[in-house]
PDB file of all heavy atoms in Angstrom:
ATOM      1  N   GLN A1203      48.990 197.952 120.729  1.00  0.00           N
ATOM      2  CA  GLN A1203      50.373 197.877 121.193  1.00  0.00           C
ATOM      3  C   GLN A1203      51.245 197.326 120.072  1.00  0.00           C
ATOM      4  O   GLN A1203      50.920 196.293 119.470  1.00  0.00           O
ATOM      5  CB  GLN A1203      50.452 196.964 122.422  1.00  0.00           C
ATOM      6  CG  GLN A1203      51.858 196.858 122.977  1.00  0.00           C
ATOM      7  CD  GLN A1203      51.915 196.045 124.248  1.00  0.00           C
ATOM      8  OE1 GLN A1203      52.748 196.285 125.087  1.00  0.00           O
ATOM      9  NE2 GLN A1203      51.024 195.090 124.414  1.00  0.00           N
ATOM     10  N   PRO A1204      52.336 198.006 119.733  1.00  0.00           N
ATOM     11  CA  PRO A1204      53.133 197.581 118.583  1.00  0.00           C
ATOM     12  C   PRO A1204      53.872 196.276 118.858  1.00  0.00           C
ATOM     13  O   PRO A1204      54.160 195.928 120.000  1.00  0.00           O
ATOM     14  CB  PRO A1204      54.117 198.735 118.397  1.00  0.00           C
ATOM     15  CG  PRO A1204      54.249 199.338 119.754  1.00  0.00           C
ATOM     16  CD  PRO A1204      52.885 199.210 120.383  1.00  0.00           C
ATOM     17  N   VAL A1205      54.179 195.588 117.779  1.00  0.00           N
ATOM     18  CA  VAL A1205      55.011 194.390 117.843  1.00  0.00           C
ATOM     19  C   VAL A1205      56.465 194.843 117.776  1.00  0.00           C
ATOM     20  O   VAL A1205      56.840 195.657 116.925  1.00  0.00           O
ATOM     21  CB  VAL A1205      54.692 193.441 116.679  1.00  0.00           C
ATOM     22  CG1 VAL A1205      55.682 192.285 116.643  1.00  0.00           C
ATOM     23  CG2 VAL A1205      53.276 192.917 116.789  1.00  0.00           C
ATOM     24  N   ARG A1206      57.283 194.340 118.710  1.00  0.00           N
ATOM     25  CA  ARG A1206      58.691 194.718 118.755  1.00  0.00           C
ATOM     26  C   ARG A1206      59.530 193.657 118.040  1.00  0.00           C
ATOM     27  O   ARG A1206      59.315 192.456 118.233  1.00  0.00           O
ATOM     28  CB  ARG A1206      59.156 194.848 120.210  1.00  0.00           C
ATOM     29  CG  ARG A1206      58.348 195.835 121.035  1.00  0.00           C
ATOM     30  CD  ARG A1206      58.571 197.254 120.584  1.00  0.00           C
ATOM     31  NE  ARG A1206      57.835 198.199 121.425  1.00  0.00           N
ATOM     32  CZ  ARG A1206      57.904 199.513 121.276  1.00  0.00           C
ATOM     33  NH1 ARG A1206      58.645 200.040 120.337  1.00  0.00           N
ATOM     34  NH2 ARG A1206      57.206 200.310 122.084  1.00  0.00           N
ATOM     35  N   LEU A1207      60.464 194.132 117.241  1.00  0.00           N
ATOM     36  CA  LEU A1207      61.336 193.246 116.493  1.00  0.00           C
ATOM     37  C   LEU A1207      62.673 193.123 117.213  1.00  0.00           C
ATOM     38  O   LEU A1207      63.319 194.128 117.511  1.00  0.00           O
ATOM     39  CB  LEU A1207      61.553 193.790 115.083  1.00  0.00           C
ATOM     40  CG  LEU A1207      62.395 192.956 114.127  1.00  0.00           C
ATOM     41  CD1 LEU A1207      61.703 191.645 113.814  1.00  0.00           C
ATOM     42  CD2 LEU A1207      62.655 193.737 112.847  1.00  0.00           C
ATOM     43  N   VAL A1208      63.085 191.901 117.501  1.00  0.00           N
ATOM     44  CA  VAL A1208      64.379 191.649 118.133  1.00  0.00           C
ATOM     45  C   VAL A1208      65.384 191.341 117.033  1.00  0.00           C
ATOM     46  O   VAL A1208      65.203 190.399 116.263  1.00  0.00           O
ATOM     47  CB  VAL A1208      64.297 190.477 119.127  1.00  0.00           C
ATOM     48  CG1 VAL A1208      65.670 190.203 119.735  1.00  0.00           C
ATOM     49  CG2 VAL A1208      63.284 190.778 120.215  1.00  0.00           C
ATOM     50  N   GLU A1209      66.433 192.154 116.951  1.00  0.00           N
ATOM     51  CA  GLU A1209      67.411 191.987 115.877  1.00  0.00           C
ATOM     52  C   GLU A1209      68.775 191.538 116.386  1.00  0.00           C
ATOM     53  O   GLU A1209      69.465 190.780 115.727  1.00  0.00           O
ATOM     54  CB  GLU A1209      67.568 193.309 115.115  1.00  0.00           C
ATOM     55  CG  GLU A1209      66.289 193.760 114.415  1.00  0.00           C
ATOM     56  CD  GLU A1209      66.452 195.125 113.768  1.00  0.00           C
ATOM     57  OE1 GLU A1209      66.673 196.089 114.525  1.00  0.00           O
ATOM     58  OE2 GLU A1209      66.377 195.205 112.544  1.00  0.00           O
ATOM     59  N   ASN A1210      69.169 192.040 117.564  1.00  0.00           N
ATOM     60  CA  ASN A1210      70.488 191.714 118.112  1.00  0.00           C
ATOM     61  C   ASN A1210      70.344 190.983 119.441  1.00  0.00           C
ATOM     62  O   ASN A1210      69.467 191.313 120.244  1.00  0.00           O
ATOM     63  CB  ASN A1210      71.315 192.986 118.317  1.00  0.00           C
ATOM     64  CG  ASN A1210      71.579 193.706 117.007  1.00  0.00           C
ATOM     65  OD1 ASN A1210      71.976 193.095 116.026  1.00  0.00           O
ATOM     66  ND2 ASN A1210      71.328 195.015 116.979  1.00  0.00           N
ATOM     67  N   VAL A1211      71.188 189.992 119.647  1.00  0.00           N
ATOM     68  CA  VAL A1211      71.186 189.225 120.888  1.00  0.00           C
ATOM     69  C   VAL A1211      72.639 189.082 121.360  1.00  0.00           C
ATOM     70  O   VAL A1211      73.586 189.393 120.619  1.00  0.00           O
ATOM     71  CB  VAL A1211      70.550 187.835 120.700  1.00  0.00           C
ATOM     72  CG1 VAL A1211      69.091 187.952 120.304  1.00  0.00           C
ATOM     73  CG2 VAL A1211      71.320 187.026 119.659  1.00  0.00           C
ATOM     74  N   GLN A1212      72.805 188.593 122.591  1.00  0.00           N
ATOM     75  CA  GLN A1212      74.134 188.319 123.128  1.00  0.00           C
ATOM     76  C   GLN A1212      74.274 186.827 123.381  1.00  0.00           C
ATOM     77  O   GLN A1212      73.352 186.187 123.898  1.00  0.00           O
ATOM     78  CB  GLN A1212      74.358 189.076 124.442  1.00  0.00           C
ATOM     79  CG  GLN A1212      74.495 190.573 124.285  1.00  0.00           C
ATOM     80  CD  GLN A1212      74.762 191.256 125.607  1.00  0.00           C
ATOM     81  OE1 GLN A1212      74.240 190.833 126.649  1.00  0.00           O
ATOM     82  NE2 GLN A1212      75.559 192.311 125.595  1.00  0.00           N
ATOM     83  N   ARG A1213      75.428 186.287 123.014  1.00  0.00           N
ATOM     84  CA  ARG A1213      75.722 184.908 123.376  1.00  0.00           C
ATOM     85  C   ARG A1213      76.438 184.926 124.731  1.00  0.00           C
ATOM     86  O   ARG A1213      77.454 185.612 124.901  1.00  0.00           O
ATOM     87  CB  ARG A1213      76.608 184.228 122.339  1.00  0.00           C
ATOM     88  CG  ARG A1213      76.923 182.786 122.744  1.00  0.00           C
ATOM     89  CD  ARG A1213      77.853 182.084 121.787  1.00  0.00           C
ATOM     90  NE  ARG A1213      78.091 180.711 122.234  1.00  0.00           N
ATOM     91  CZ  ARG A1213      78.911 179.862 121.638  1.00  0.00           C
ATOM     92  NH1 ARG A1213      79.580 180.243 120.558  1.00  0.00           N
ATOM     93  NH2 ARG A1213      79.073 178.640 122.104  1.00  0.00           N
ATOM     94  N   LEU A1214      75.871 184.179 125.678  1.00  0.00           N
ATOM     95  CA  LEU A1214      76.461 184.111 127.014  1.00  0.00           C
ATOM     96  C   LEU A1214      77.514 183.024 127.028  1.00  0.00           C
ATOM     97  O   LEU A1214      77.214 181.840 126.819  1.00  0.00           O
ATOM     98  CB  LEU A1214      75.385 183.828 128.060  1.00  0.00           C
ATOM     99  CG  LEU A1214      74.224 184.849 128.108  1.00  0.00           C
ATOM    100  CD1 LEU A1214      73.254 184.488 129.224  1.00  0.00           C
ATOM    101  CD2 LEU A1214      74.744 186.269 128.282  1.00  0.00           C
ATOM    102  N   VAL A1215      78.752 183.430 127.277  1.00  0.00           N
ATOM    103  CA  VAL A1215      79.875 182.502 127.282  1.00  0.00           C
ATOM    104  C   VAL A1215      80.328 182.310 128.725  1.00  0.00           C
ATOM    105  O   VAL A1215      80.703 183.282 129.395  1.00  0.00           O
ATOM    106  CB  VAL A1215      81.043 183.035 126.435  1.00  0.00           C
ATOM    107  CG1 VAL A1215      82.204 182.051 126.453  1.00  0.00           C
ATOM    108  CG2 VAL A1215      80.584 183.331 125.018  1.00  0.00           C
ATOM    109  N   PRO A1216      80.275 181.066 129.240  1.00  0.00           N
ATOM    110  CA  PRO A1216      80.704 180.841 130.633  1.00  0.00           C
ATOM    111  C   PRO A1216      82.136 181.326 130.860  1.00  0.00           C
ATOM    112  O   PRO A1216      83.064 180.935 130.146  1.00  0.00           O
ATOM    113  CB  PRO A1216      80.592 179.323 130.807  1.00  0.00           C
ATOM    114  CG  PRO A1216      79.620 178.897 129.760  1.00  0.00           C
ATOM    115  CD  PRO A1216      79.814 179.826 128.607  1.00  0.00           C
ATOM    116  N   GLY A1217      82.281 182.191 131.862  1.00  0.00           N
ATOM    117  CA  GLY A1217      83.617 182.678 132.218  1.00  0.00           C
ATOM    118  C   GLY A1217      84.187 183.662 131.222  1.00  0.00           C
ATOM    119  O   GLY A1217      85.387 183.951 131.261  1.00  0.00           O
ATOM    120  N   GLY A1218      83.394 184.178 130.322  1.00  0.00           N
ATOM    121  CA  GLY A1218      83.907 185.124 129.334  1.00  0.00           C
ATOM    122  C   GLY A1218      82.940 186.259 129.090  1.00  0.00           C
ATOM    123  O   GLY A1218      81.852 186.312 129.671  1.00  0.00           O
ATOM    124  N   GLN A1219      83.322 187.168 128.199  1.00  0.00           N
ATOM    125  CA  GLN A1219      82.484 188.303 127.870  1.00  0.00           C
ATOM    126  C   GLN A1219      81.384 187.894 126.881  1.00  0.00           C
ATOM    127  O   GLN A1219      81.638 187.096 125.973  1.00  0.00           O
ATOM    128  CB  GLN A1219      83.329 189.422 127.255  1.00  0.00           C
ATOM    129  CG  GLN A1219      84.300 190.081 128.226  1.00  0.00           C
ATOM    130  CD  GLN A1219      83.573 190.823 129.329  1.00  0.00           C
ATOM    131  OE1 GLN A1219      82.533 191.441 129.116  1.00  0.00           O
ATOM    132  NE2 GLN A1219      84.118 190.725 130.541  1.00  0.00           N
ATOM    133  N   PRO A1220      80.170 188.411 127.067  1.00  0.00           N
ATOM    134  CA  PRO A1220      79.101 188.113 126.104  1.00  0.00           C
ATOM    135  C   PRO A1220      79.500 188.570 124.697  1.00  0.00           C
ATOM    136  O   PRO A1220      80.173 189.588 124.524  1.00  0.00           O
ATOM    137  CB  PRO A1220      77.909 188.910 126.634  1.00  0.00           C
ATOM    138  CG  PRO A1220      78.215 189.143 128.084  1.00  0.00           C
ATOM    139  CD  PRO A1220      79.706 189.279 128.170  1.00  0.00           C
ATOM    140  N   GLN A1221      79.052 187.805 123.713  1.00  0.00           N
ATOM    141  CA  GLN A1221      79.326 188.129 122.315  1.00  0.00           C
ATOM    142  C   GLN A1221      78.058 188.667 121.657  1.00  0.00           C
ATOM    143  O   GLN A1221      76.998 188.056 121.757  1.00  0.00           O
ATOM    144  CB  GLN A1221      79.798 186.883 121.561  1.00  0.00           C
ATOM    145  CG  GLN A1221      81.072 186.269 122.089  1.00  0.00           C
ATOM    146  CD  GLN A1221      81.412 184.970 121.374  1.00  0.00           C
ATOM    147  OE1 GLN A1221      80.655 184.488 120.530  1.00  0.00           O
ATOM    148  NE2 GLN A1221      82.564 184.406 121.714  1.00  0.00           N
ATOM    149  N   LEU A1222      78.183 189.822 121.000  1.00  0.00           N
ATOM    150  CA  LEU A1222      77.031 190.419 120.322  1.00  0.00           C
ATOM    151  C   LEU A1222      76.814 189.707 118.981  1.00  0.00           C
ATOM    152  O   LEU A1222      77.733 189.580 118.175  1.00  0.00           O
ATOM    153  CB  LEU A1222      77.272 191.914 120.093  1.00  0.00           C
ATOM    154  CG  LEU A1222      76.092 192.687 119.488  1.00  0.00           C
ATOM    155  CD1 LEU A1222      74.902 192.673 120.454  1.00  0.00           C
ATOM    156  CD2 LEU A1222      76.500 194.125 119.163  1.00  0.00           C
ATOM    157  N   LEU A1223      75.579 189.245 118.747  1.00  0.00           N
ATOM    158  CA  LEU A1223      75.231 188.530 117.514  1.00  0.00           C
ATOM    159  C   LEU A1223      74.027 189.188 116.859  1.00  0.00           C
ATOM    160  O   LEU A1223      73.186 189.792 117.526  1.00  0.00           O
ATOM    161  CB  LEU A1223      74.913 187.061 117.811  1.00  0.00           C
ATOM    162  CG  LEU A1223      76.011 186.236 118.480  1.00  0.00           C
ATOM    163  CD1 LEU A1223      75.470 184.848 118.820  1.00  0.00           C
ATOM    164  CD2 LEU A1223      77.230 186.119 117.582  1.00  0.00           C
ATOM    165  N   HIS A1224      73.939 189.050 115.563  1.00  0.00           N
ATOM    166  CA  HIS A1224      72.800 189.580 114.801  1.00  0.00           C
ATOM    167  C   HIS A1224      72.012 188.400 114.231  1.00  0.00           C
ATOM    168  O   HIS A1224      72.589 187.476 113.653  1.00  0.00           O
ATOM    169  CB  HIS A1224      73.291 190.483 113.663  1.00  0.00           C
ATOM    170  CG  HIS A1224      72.184 191.179 112.933  1.00  0.00           C
ATOM    171  ND1 HIS A1224      71.558 192.302 113.438  1.00  0.00           N
ATOM    172  CD2 HIS A1224      71.587 190.912 111.753  1.00  0.00           C
ATOM    173  CE1 HIS A1224      70.629 192.691 112.588  1.00  0.00           C
ATOM    174  NE2 HIS A1224      70.626 191.863 111.555  1.00  0.00           N
ATOM    175  N   LEU A1225      70.716 188.405 114.423  1.00  0.00           N
ATOM    176  CA  LEU A1225      69.870 187.316 113.918  1.00  0.00           C
ATOM    177  C   LEU A1225      69.808 187.357 112.393  1.00  0.00           C
ATOM    178  O   LEU A1225      69.811 188.436 111.809  1.00  0.00           O
ATOM    179  CB  LEU A1225      68.466 187.433 114.510  1.00  0.00           C
ATOM    180  CG  LEU A1225      68.354 187.186 116.011  1.00  0.00           C
ATOM    181  CD1 LEU A1225      66.923 187.439 116.472  1.00  0.00           C
ATOM    182  CD2 LEU A1225      68.765 185.773 116.370  1.00  0.00           C
ATOM    183  N   PRO A1226      69.706 186.208 111.736  1.00  0.00           N
ATOM    184  CA  PRO A1226      69.628 184.861 112.299  1.00  0.00           C
ATOM    185  C   PRO A1226      70.977 184.361 112.802  1.00  0.00           C
ATOM    186  O   PRO A1226      72.028 184.798 112.330  1.00  0.00           O
ATOM    187  CB  PRO A1226      69.136 184.017 111.126  1.00  0.00           C
ATOM    188  CG  PRO A1226      69.643 184.733 109.920  1.00  0.00           C
ATOM    189  CD  PRO A1226      69.592 186.191 110.254  1.00  0.00           C
ATOM    190  N   VAL A1227      70.916 183.425 113.766  1.00  0.00           N
ATOM    191  CA  VAL A1227      72.106 182.880 114.400  1.00  0.00           C
ATOM    192  C   VAL A1227      72.186 181.392 114.094  1.00  0.00           C
ATOM    193  O   VAL A1227      71.194 180.663 114.257  1.00  0.00           O
ATOM    194  CB  VAL A1227      72.068 183.111 115.924  1.00  0.00           C
ATOM    195  CG1 VAL A1227      73.197 182.347 116.603  1.00  0.00           C
ATOM    196  CG2 VAL A1227      72.177 184.595 116.247  1.00  0.00           C
TER     197      VAL A1227
END
C-alpha cells in the first residue's frame, strides 16, 4: 500500500472561511 503525501491543509478559523495552506506551516 503506497504512502500518501499530505501537501495542502486548511486552517479552521472560528466564524470564518477556512484558509488553504501549503506545508510547512
Side-chain angles (χ1 to χ4, degrees):
Q1203 181 176 210
V1205 173
R1206 303 292 183 177
L1207 183 65
V1208 178
E1209 297 175 296
N1210 298 312
V1211 297
Q1212 290 182 325
R1213 179 183 181 183
L1214 302 182
V1215 180
Q1219 292 295 323
Q1221 299 175 356
L1222 185 64
L1223 302 174
H1224 186 79
L1225 292 176
V1227 171

